[in-house]
């Protein structure tokens, strides 16, 4: 997508503090962190919302989750605990319409989240 912020970050045309990338996903610091560690994990493939995930994307979404667990261990938040969030559509708080996980940790999380 030509106007997608996350596609531009994945493509390198918009700078971000990238902490991990491979052929399928990119992870970077959230620009408005809600926890001491707040990372965004995106697929390189543009998928607007969770509702748009197709059967052929199952492996990709699984890879995103696996990447989150690897990053949580690297950030030393795996054992104390972390939150992995994916919002779907505006009513749930999605503001960039390219699926992404928020990896949050480094503080105690409350429930319900909001």
């Amino acid at each position: 997508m030509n106007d997608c912020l996350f596609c531009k970050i994945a493509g390198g045309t918009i700078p971000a503090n990238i902490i991990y990338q491979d052929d399928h996903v990119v992870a970077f610091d959230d620009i408005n962190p809600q926890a001491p560690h707040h990372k965004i994990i995106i697929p390189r493939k543009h998928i607007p919302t969770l509702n748009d995930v197709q059967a052929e994307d199952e492996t990709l979404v699984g890879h995103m989750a696996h990447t989150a667990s690897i990053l949580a261990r690297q950030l030393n938040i795996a054992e104390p605990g972390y939150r992995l969030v994916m919002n779907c559509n505006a009513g749930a708080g999605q503001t960039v319409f390219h699926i992404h996980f928020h990896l949050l940790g480094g503080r105690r999380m409350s429930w319900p989240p909001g």
Side-chain angles (χ1 to χ4, degrees), residues 35-39 41 62 64-85 101-111:
H37 295 286
H38 188 169
K39 312 305 179 187
I41 303 161
M64 291 171 63
H66 184 241
T67 299
S69 71
I70 291 168
L71 293 174
R73 285 190 295 279
Q74 289 176 352
L75 295 166
N76 295 313
I77 60 173
E79 292 309 315
Y82 60 94
R83 182 166 287 160
L84 189 61
V85 176
F101 281 133
H102 293 263
L103 172 63
L104 300 120
R107 69 167 171 81
R108 181 116 176 118
M109 300 289 157
S110 60
W111 193 261

Side-chain angles (χ1 to χ4, degrees), residues 34-108:
Q34 302 299 306
H37 295 286
H38 188 169
K39 312 305 179 187
I40 302 294
I41 303 161
I42 65 169
R44 290 187 182 274
K45 177 181 179 182
H46 182 82
I47 304 169
T49 75
L50 190 56
N51 293 335
D52 299 303
V53 171
Q54 302 297 309
E56 65 264 17
D57 301 318
E58 289 178 10
T59 301
L60 177 59
V61 175
H63 182 62
M64 291 171 63
H66 184 241
T67 299
S69 71
I70 291 168
L71 293 174
R73 285 190 295 279
Q74 289 176 352
L75 295 166
N76 295 313
I77 60 173
E79 292 309 315
Y82 60 94
R83 182 166 287 160
L84 189 61
V85 176
M86 182 183 285
N87 300 316
C88 183
N89 283 323
Q94 185 177 6
T95 58
V96 179
F97 288 85
H98 181 123
I99 63 168
H100 56 285
F101 281 133
H102 293 263
L103 172 63
L104 300 120
R107 69 167 171 81
R108 181 116 176 118

